[in-house]
């Protein structure tokens, strides 16, 4: 997805955390109770057509970052 579809507010919030918009969407979904995998596929729909292993590797690399964990907790 092109970044142009996102609002300036969402882009600004993502920038304030030094992450991408999709990562912020994933963090927000997890902070309201979505499971990691569901949040990942909603935020990154392009990975539904990739292998499960590839998607899991990307999902886990995002979710295990200290910055990401702090954002989930903060949100």
């Amino acid at each position: 997805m092109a970044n142009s579809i996102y609002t300036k507010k969402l882009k600004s919030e993502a920038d304030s955390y030094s992450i991408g918009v999709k990562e912020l969407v994933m963090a927000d979904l997890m902070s309201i109770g979505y499971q990691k995998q569901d949040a990942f596929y909603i935020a990154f729909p392009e990975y539904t057509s990739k292998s499960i292993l590839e998607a899991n590797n990307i999902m886990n690399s995002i979710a295990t970052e200290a910055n990401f964990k702090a954002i989930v907790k903060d949100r």
Side-chain angles (χ1 to χ4, degrees):
M1 272 186 239
N3 280 341
S4 61
I5 66 168
Y6 301 114
T7 64
K8 288 180 182 180
K9 180 180 184 234
L10 189 60
K11 288 180 203 175
S12 176
E13 286 182 50
D15 288 345
S16 74
Y17 287 110
S18 299
I19 63 169
V21 172
K22 291 181 178 188
E23 287 85 357
L24 181 61
V25 170
M26 182 177 167
D28 281 347
L29 290 170
M30 289 176 64
S31 73
I32 62 169
Y34 278 73
Q35 296 295 312
K36 177 175 62 173
Q37 186 174 8
D38 294 329
F40 174 77
Y41 282 116
I42 291 169
F44 296 90
E46 64 273 18
Y47 281 94
T48 58
S49 63
K50 307 281 185 184
S51 74
I52 292 173
L53 180 61
E54 183 178 359
N56 281 340
N57 286 340
I58 298 298
M59 175 180 58
N60 289 326
S61 71
I62 294 168
T64 57
E65 291 178 4
N67 186 36
F68 183 83
K69 289 178 183 179
I71 294 166
V72 172
K73 187 175 180 179
D74 183 50
R75 303 289 282 187

